[in-house]
Amino acid sequence: MIEPVALKDFFITFFSSALIIMAGAAYALLFAWSKIHTNPRIKQCAYLSYIVLVIAVAELTRAANFSGYWLLISFAMVIGYFFAPIGIWHLCVKTHDDRTTITKRGEDR
């Protein structure tokens, strides 16, 4: 039987996976919050969350013995987590900056 994760590394794998989700969510929320309220400390906290995410991914990669394509997927995930909130923020700004939509909403009332 194939044992992808050693039993001694089960909890490390579990908690590092959970930390990836929590740090990714914190990074996205703090990044958006820093864009709404232009406070550099909030943006620094967002980048700190991203560093925690990178450490958690490195620990998961080590504990789960990733190699080959799994390493490539881990690397792509880390890069994607960094650029996704930035892209989503720009998409939201572009889609909600339309003056005709605001006017139509005002006319409906």
Side-chain angles (χ1 to χ4, degrees):
M1 182 172 172
I2 298 173
E3 186 178 351
V5 177
L7 191 58
K8 66 179 177 72
D9 292 333
F10 175 77
F11 285 110
I12 293 172
T13 304
F14 176 79
F15 286 115
S16 62
S17 300
L19 189 59
I20 289 170
I21 295 169
M22 297 298 290
Y27 169 62
L29 291 173
L30 288 171
F31 182 82
W33 194 21
S34 73
K35 288 294 190 178
I36 293 171
H37 302 285
T38 53
N39 187 347
R41 286 185 290 172
I42 298 172
K43 188 172 267 188
Q44 291 171 354
C45 288
Y47 291 137
L48 181 67
S49 296
Y50 182 75
I51 291 170
V52 170
L53 171 87
V54 170
I55 292 169
V57 169
E59 186 61 29
L60 177 66
T61 301
R62 186 203 59 79
N65 300 319
F66 286 167
S67 62
Y69 291 117
W70 288 107
L71 276 177
L72 185 64
I73 289 172
S74 296
F75 184 73
M77 180 183 72
V78 166
I79 299 298
Y81 262 107
F82 182 78
F83 288 109
I86 297 169
I88 291 170
W89 175 260
H90 288 293
L91 180 67
C92 287
V93 167
K94 294 289 182 186
T95 56
H96 290 86
D97 196 29
D98 188 14
R99 298 289 175 210
T100 58
T101 304
I102 295 171
T103 305
K104 287 180 182 176
R105 284 185 191 158
E107 290 175 357
D108 291 338
R109 291 182 184 173

